């Protein structure tokens, strides 16, 4: 009997996302899902793609994004689909667009918006809005503790009272009911830095009943990183949910090499509880411009500046020199602003990427004028630079860290794996050519070697450009 499908990808080297050794085969798609994988010589389809010499992998899942508003403002999602990403996890670092109504949100909430997008009194309103306006990629969203704090408190320079923390918990519960897949914190940032561990435990309490996870940009990633990790583990244990440490890194010259310590602690913790990390493949970080980062960094580059946009893309030391002032004074004049900080050691980045339970996540900041290259380059950089060129791990492992592992850790059903019945989120790439085009000088260059990308069976990137299709789905908790 001649089987008939919508689409067949022929002769691909299949890397399935769950670390099965690569094999040659065909992939048949019917509607939104994969119908069959194997030798499908007798099957026919409306459209056939010859993928000889190419790898077919599950579409990549960006485990750490700030795409909450970008999904609506730039639904083509070009920085993501151009590197093979088919699903983004939004709402990281304590920052979510809902539930909050605010015209001038405090930093760092302005990282994703200062144009009036904080307009959803309930998380369900935000979910409805996203579901009604699909983007090219799928999206799963978390609720941010900093957003809850801003909504619940009259001032942010203190710990929440018991009733304020209870209010945050009830808002978190509403968000989880509406489909949020977890709660994130960003206690590194001033509006959340005064939160006590107890406040966070109270706010995060509803996670367990909804199968959510606790995801944290920790209070500290430099001298006091061990205490910060122990706080995160404790919150996970007391709430009874998995812990994900965001963009794991060790910052500051005097802490170089300490990933040995942090990974040993993680390995020990994961014997008792579910913990993992995400990581981006660069030795530079990017966030708001802050003077306290000067002594921790080798170089600082400005990504945006409200009062002095003419300095975007330039080095802080040069700007201070030109102004004839200290770097601290230059920071004060440039703020509000964002920056890239060269403050990590390559060996630490590699050791963290290699760690068994490390997922790849871009932490891209899509609204920056001159963004960190991780926004456009993260996934091809891991596949090309780290896996193929430096041989940090085999391609099967690299793909797993951006697909199957991530889907499992975030509870994304039928994603992150190539098998019959799974959604047809598929990235076809040339393993010999794949690489990041984005650099610190030219950060918005697309990747090399991404041949085609489909989301729920529909192509979103072909022939080096976006197709304009927007087949992305909103992935809700437990749905
Ligand atoms: Zn963060
Ligand atoms: Cu982040």
């Amino acid at each position: 009997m001649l089987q008939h499908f919508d689409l067949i990808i022929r002769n691909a080297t299949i890397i399935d996302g769950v670390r099965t050794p690569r094999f040659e085969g065909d992939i048949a798609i019917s509607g939104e899902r994969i119908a069959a994988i194997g030798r499908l010589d007798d099957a026919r389809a409306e459209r056939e793609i010859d993928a000889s010499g190419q790898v077919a992998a599950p579409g990549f899942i960006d485990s750490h994004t700030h795409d909450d508003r970008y999904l609506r403002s730039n639904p083509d999602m070009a920085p993501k689909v151009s590197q093979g990403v088919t699903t983004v996890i939004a709402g990281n670092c304590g920052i979510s667009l809902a539930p909050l109504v605010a015209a001038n949100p405090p930093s760092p909430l302005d990282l994703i918006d200062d144009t009036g997008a904080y307009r959803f009194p309930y998380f369900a309103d935000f979910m409805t809005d996203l579901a009604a306006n699909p983007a090219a990629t799928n999206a799963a969203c978390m609720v941010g503790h900093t957003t809850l704090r801003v909504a619940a408190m009259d001032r942010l320079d203190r710990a929440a009272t018991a009733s304020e923390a209870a209010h945050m918990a009830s808002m978190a519960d509403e968000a989880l009911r509406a489909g949020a897949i977890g709660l994130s914190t960003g206690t590194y940032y001033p509006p959340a830095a005064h939160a006590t561990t107890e406040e966070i435990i109270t706010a995060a309490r509803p996670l367990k009943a909804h199968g959510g996870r606790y995801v944290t940009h920790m209070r500290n990633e430099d001298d006091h990183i061990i205490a910060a990790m122990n706080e995160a583990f404790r919150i996970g244990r007391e709430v009874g949910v998995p812990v994900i440490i965001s963009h794991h890194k060790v910052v500051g010259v005097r802490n170089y090499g300490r990933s040995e310590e942090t990974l040993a602690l993680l390995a020990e913790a994961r014997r008792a509880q579910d913990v993992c990390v995400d990581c981006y493949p660069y030795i530079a970080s990017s966030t708001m411009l802050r003077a306290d980062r000067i002594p921790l960094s080798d170089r600082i580059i400005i990504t945006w500046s409200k009062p002095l946009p003419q300095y975007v893309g330039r080095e802080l030391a040069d700007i201070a020199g030109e102004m004839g002032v200290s770097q601290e004074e230059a920071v004060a004049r440039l703020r509000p602003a964002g920056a890239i900080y060269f403050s990590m050691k390559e060996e630490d980045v590699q050791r963290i990427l290699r760690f068994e339970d490390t997922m790849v996540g871009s932490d891209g900041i899509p609204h920056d004028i001159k963004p960190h290259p991780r926004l456009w380059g993260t996934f091809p950089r891991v596949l090309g630079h780290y896996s193929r060129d430096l041989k940090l791990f085999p391609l099967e492992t690299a793909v797993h860290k951006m697909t199957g592992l991530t889907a499992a850790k975030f509870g994304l059903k039928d994603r992150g794996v190539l098998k019959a019945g799974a959604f047809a989120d598929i990235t076809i790439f040339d393993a010999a050519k794949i690489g990041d085009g984005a650099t610190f000088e030219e950060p918005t260059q697309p990747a090399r070697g991404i041949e085609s990308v489909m989301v729920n069976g529909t192509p979103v990137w072909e022939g080096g450009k976006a197709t304009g299709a927007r087949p992305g789905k909103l992935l809700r908790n437990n749905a």
Side-chain angles (χ1 to χ4, degrees), residues 153-406:
M153 296 175 69
D154 60 343
R155 46 187 297 184
L156 301 164
D157 58 351
R158 58 173 174 83
T161 62
S163 78
E164 286 163 342
H167 184 195
M168 289 180 218
S170 79
M171 288 188 284
D173 189 64
E174 186 272 327
L176 291 156
R177 273 176 211 286
I181 63 163
L183 176 131
S184 74
T185 56
T187 39
Y188 164 77
Y189 296 104
H194 293 273
T196 60
T197 310
E198 285 65 32
E199 172 189 322
I200 297 167
I201 289 170
T202 302
R205 194 68 80 189
L207 282 172
K208 187 170 185 182
H210 300 283
R213 55 223 21 94
Y214 174 66
V215 180
T216 179
H217 178 162
M218 302 185 295
R219 277 181 209 283
N220 190 284
E221 296 175 309
D222 48 88
D223 301 356
H224 307 293
I225 189 166
I226 297 293
M229 290 174 72
N230 281 322
E231 182 192 33
F233 300 155
R234 182 187 152 205
I235 292 166
R237 284 195 307 274
E238 295 212 11
V239 178
V241 296
V243 175
I244 297 171
I245 291 179
S246 296
H247 42 62
H248 185 42
K249 56 172 143 349
V250 195
V251 170
V253 184
R254 61 182 176 255
N255 296 303
Y256 283 179
R258 290 188 67 201
S259 61
E260 246 176 301
E261 235 178 289
T262 63
L263 294 179
L265 185 64
L266 265 169
E268 187 192 306
R270 84 204 243 283
R271 274 186 254 142
Q273 63 187 113
D274 188 345
V275 294
C276 67
V277 307
D278 65 71
C279 177
Y280 51 80
Y282 295 89
I283 55 163
S285 66
S286 181
T287 184
M288 331 299 312
L289 179 62
R290 276 169 62 157
D292 62 351
R293 301 292 294 252
I294 296 169
L296 292 168
S297 308
D298 298 324
R299 276 167 70 205
I300 297 175
I301 299 173
I302 304 304
T303 54
W304 60 273
S305 166
K306 270 269 161 68
L308 300 170
Q310 65 269 33
Y311 290 114
V312 168
R314 307 245 346 252
E315 278 201 39
L316 178 65
D318 297 343
I319 297 168
E322 260 169 49
M323 290 177 170
V325 299
S326 67
Q327 292 196 42
E328 285 73 10
E329 175 56 26
V331 166
R333 293 186 189 181
L334 288 158
R335 273 167 61 93
I340 290 168
Y341 303 93
F342 288 84
S343 57
M344 289 173 246
K345 190 182 187 192
E346 177 67 28
E347 250 172 69
D348 286 318
V349 173
Q350 293 189 16
R351 198 181 286 126
I352 291 167
L353 279 173
R354 262 198 326 257
F355 183 70
E356 167 115 35
D357 279 341
T358 297
M359 305 176 278
V360 177
S362 71
D363 198 10
I365 309 176
H367 307 289
D368 281 7
I369 293 163
K370 189 139 189 189
H372 188 302
R374 66 196 186 189
L375 175 65
W376 287 78
T378 288
F379 295 85
R381 182 168 169 82
V382 169
L383 297 167
H385 178 65
Y386 283 110
S387 175
R388 181 194 56 227
D389 298 344
L390 299 188
K391 303 190 170 35
L392 202 57
F393 31 62
L395 202 52
E396 286 85 345
T397 302
V399 168
H400 177 63
K401 286 173 174 291
M402 49 186 80
T403 59
L405 177 64
T406 318

